[in-house]
Amino acid sequence: MENDLSVSRLVKRFGEFTAVDDVSFDVPAGSFFSILGPSGCGKTTMLRMVAGFEEPTSGTIAIRGRDMARVAPNRRPVNLVFQHLALFPMMNVARNIAFGLERRGTPRAEIARRVERTLERVGLPGFGSKEIAQLSGGQKQRVAIARCLVLEPSVLLLDEPLGALDLKLREQMKVELKKLQAKVGTTFIYITHDQSEALVMSDAVAVMNKGRFEQVGSPQELYGDPATPFVAGFVGDSNIWEGTVRECSGQRAVIGTDEGFAFEARRRGACAPGSAVRLFLRPEAMRIEPADASGLNTFRATVKALLFDGANSRLLTVTPAEHELLVTLPQNRRFDHIRPGQEITLGWHPDSGVCFRREGGDA
Amino acid sequence: MRRARLGFWLFLAPVLAWLVLLIVLPHLDLLVMSLRSGSGSRASWTLQNYANFFGEPIYWLTFVRTAMYSVITTAITFLLAMPVAFYIAKVARVRLQGFLLTLLLLPFWVSELVRIYGWMILLRESGVVNFALLKLGLADAPVEMLYNDATMIMGLVYTSMLFMVVPLVSAVESLDDSLIEAAHDLGAGRAAIWWRIILPHCKPGITSGAIVVFMLCLGNYLTPNLMGGKNSLWFTEQIYNQFIASFNWNQGAAFGFLLLALSSAIIWIGLKITGQKLGEVAS
């Protein structure tokens, strides 16, 4: 498949600080690609380089096969939706959306037609004559996206555009953005520190940390098969045990945790008995009071608190060594009898836990 | 509640006293004076003083000249101040900003009179600039650079600069950088960004700066008097002549009111043309 964006060996340094450190990736045409990372990981710098606001220290950026070196932002076939949207308050909605077309010298009648069509696309028909200050947060969002989409860019860049919205609206806009992208078919590159935004909307997600890509993959891959401890810890919730490898077998290893459990789990990377590892386990991987415990890792824990949150309810449990663990509590009424203070058996399948070698003791 | 009211009036009293005693009363007296002819017991009501302004070309021509040159000065000041303000507000680093603003402010620690004499020392026939020109062989004989309209306008621009830069700096500072970047991203070049984004955003700042500079120029006496030539008559000089030279206070008072009314009218027209309201500009 043709790639809309190809980034290769991209480096950006600010003095001594390396913001983007040798990053390469390709984004296929028409896909929704997210870059997920904590603040300060270099994702915004990366986006600004693609948009043309920052000059890379080295490496190349190509859009639809065309090298973008020394191409000014106003000459690139990409458009950026800014974090705080940056709508022009001195113009009404229609003038905002027409801005880019006017710069290209599109005939007036054509501009009016395309502005109206784009407004319909983003679900705001007839909003052209409104002033920016009259719009709600979600409407501003859509105008900002419409302002870019009307130019039919090869790639649309979005810099945490949902960050300023309240929670409820953010959930709604997530779904809408995904639908909009599917409808218009433009390649979206979306930057966020919110893993749920990235997982819900994207075809592919790159997890970025300290200027590097830790892993690029589908949301399912990142969640189910994290390649590095950072990805395992950053994407979704995890329970963590520290331990040492006792023996290796195929793709699995037997780990003795520091508090004295012996667990079998999947392993990533080379396996050496005696090496320090960190074991990651999702809260939903643990089964409460399993009927058939054969082949499972089982242990006893005490319920400390019930964290009820509808479908997202959890148990806060502690092992005898006071190690806190989160366990998903399915809302099928089977576990209604569980009360704080009770001791329960927990079991999990060796394939759902993954361990990584600890580097220098921290990692 | 009543105490709060009392406090309000107590604090307002000095302002009111100042306004009434020093501004309203003298102006009322001047207004009465401008509508009278003669003095003492032979005084009578008349509009002759105002009619004189329109009847005598030298008077209204002087006013037109003064207004035109004030508009030109305002325009030149704006053209010079805009890049300066943009540099201070957006390009310069934070520590440099304060330093640059102080540099702009520094000349104002010296009185206008001294500053104008400073210019005269530089520009007169035996002055510093002519000395340099002669020494460098760029001129054979001293050039008279004082006492013409161009020098006078330069002096006025110099005097007004700060009053334009300060409102412009705060106007440019309030512009979100991402608006400029967004415009650039959407395909706008330098000219379009200035014309469509920066200038519309700064409009209130430009207007308030322009009003201040225009009024300062129109009412300036010193600079046109000292740097302008015999032919560069300024309207304030006409007023001065009536009061001091001709000792015709009634005529002088009428000219004063005409200056007030006509300059207000010009600003009103300016606001109408650019589609603004005084309240928006002042806020």
Side-chain angles (χ1 to χ4, degrees), chain A residues 48 51 53 72-74 78-80 82 84-91 95-96 99-100 102-103 147-148 151, chain B residues 175-193 195-202:
Chain A
R48 290 175 61 81
F53 292 119
N74 55 341
V78 296
N79 289 112
L80 175 58
F82 283 76
H84 299 291
L85 307 180
L87 295 172
F88 305 131
M90 56 289 256
M91 305 174 200
R95 296 299 301 278
N96 261 282
F99 187 86
E102 282 170 10
R103 303 281 77 72
R147 188 173 71 173
C148 293
L151 297 174
Chain B
L175 176 66
D176 186 356
D177 287 356
S178 65
L179 289 188
I180 299 175
E181 286 189 338
H184 201 28
D185 184 66
L186 292 167
R190 232 166 244 271
I193 290 174
W195 197 244
R196 299 289 304 274
I197 307 295
I198 299 175
L199 290 181
H201 173 87
C202 296

Side-chain angles (χ1 to χ4, degrees), chain B residues 8 16 25 29 41 50 57 62 65-66 68 88 117 136 140 142 160 171 177 216 228 248-249 251 270 273 280:
Chain B
F8 173 74
L16 279 181
L25 282 183
D29 192 37
S41 53
Y50 290 91
T62 310
R65 219 182 85 88
T66 308
M68 291 268 288
I88 292 177
Y117 273 114
L136 290 169
D140 305 324
S160 320
D177 287 356
L216 279 177
N248 187 349
W249 280 44
Q251 188 63 62
I273 290 173
E280 290 168 10

